[in-house]
Amino acid sequence: MTPPPAWRLLAHSEKGVAKKYSQDRHRATALHDGRSLVLAAADGHGSAAHFRSDLGARWAVEVFTDCAAVFATEAMRPERAGGRGWNALHEAALALPRQVVRAWRQRIALHESNSPADGRQGRHHGAPGPASAAPAYTVYGSTLLGAVLTPELLVCWQLGDGDITLVPHHGPPRTLLDNGRPDLGDETTSLCLDQAWHHMLVHWEPLTGRELPPFVLLTTDGLAKSFADRQGFLDFATGVRDRVVTDGAEAVRGQLPHWLGQAAAHSGDDTTLIVAFPADEKGRQA
């Protein structure tokens, strides 16, 4: 008999009210009968200099999910249980940013070989222009948030703005991997930067020894920008936890379009929220 899932998921995205189309992309995948999760959210920069960033965000989510699924499978191997062999796993977590950036650039190079961003035809089209020209990574620029959850471990990766927030069942929320956002204004690190993997932050946190793991929220920056201050955003994160616990996951799922629609109206930006939280032994919400 299949054991009950260890995690449940909620996810939704809303387009910024003044935007023609959304630059946000997200994916939340349950693996190993729901005992592990791979979460990813990306926000394309959307400016004139980044006019293909919606594609960059889509590929960021796809390649992260592919790479992180391999990591999650390794983390779920029986010999990793109880923290055995975590040294090698930790090294794999630190190596994952380079893998993701390399795979993302490969997606762009393939696309550029058929549809160059600068309009030049490449080698296979027999037209002028250097066939060896580097792909125009800048026009695909995107941020990236990612996480892997297992019954024993949480690992998070962040490049650029947005938030990964933990909300325990008792106590205040805390935001992980805060890279100085208030001082940066609209500037952010990006997958399009040279050696972008050096800018990707990694958080490693064992989940053993707790009564229940925390709620994990991944949010693009459009959500935080919809609040007057940081505390307002943290209160929202706590409220998501409280509503899931009191009203149930499906009730909250039904409210997400309204909540994120309001946020997108206030910030004017695309807004994405992914929520992962533990299920009890009967597979219900915690």
Side-chain angles (χ1 to χ4, degrees), residues 1 12 59 79 86-87 94 131 162 181 191 204 218 247 270 279:
M1 180 171 157
H12 189 71
W59 295 330
E79 55 266 38
W86 273 9
N87 286 341
L94 297 178
R181 180 185 315 97
L191 280 164
W204 172 281
L218 272 65
D247 299 343
D270 308 324

Side-chain angles (χ1 to χ4, degrees), residues 97-219:
R98 187 184 291 263
Q99 297 169 10
V100 169
V101 173
R102 182 187 300 119
W104 184 78
R105 290 188 166 210
Q106 288 171 347
R107 291 284 186 96
I108 291 171
L110 178 61
H111 187 73
E112 286 280 302
S113 69
N114 295 300
S115 180
D118 61 7
R120 291 180 299 183
Q121 293 179 308
R123 183 195 310 272
H124 300 296
H125 300 281
S132 59
Y137 298 120
T138 298
V139 305
Y140 298 87
S142 175
T143 65
L144 177 62
L145 303 170
V148 169
L149 294 88
T150 77
E152 295 189 325
L153 183 66
L154 166 66
V155 186
C156 302
W157 296 263
Q158 179 165 352
L159 179 63
D161 52 28
D163 291 284
I164 303 176
T165 307
L166 300 191
V167 187
H169 286 265
H170 303 285
R174 57 189 175 97
T175 301
L176 308 179
L177 302 175
D178 190 326
N179 56 358
R181 180 185 315 97
D183 297 327
L184 293 174
D186 290 331
E187 297 293 326
T188 185
T189 50
S190 170
L191 280 164
C192 69
L193 294 177
D194 186 40
Q195 297 186 331
W197 55 87
H198 287 313
H199 301 277
M200 193 177 298
L201 306 177
V202 183
H203 177 82
W204 172 281
E205 182 164 335
L207 299 177
T208 53
R210 303 185 185 194
E211 182 179 354
L212 280 173
F215 280 55
V216 180
L217 281 64
L218 272 65
T219 54

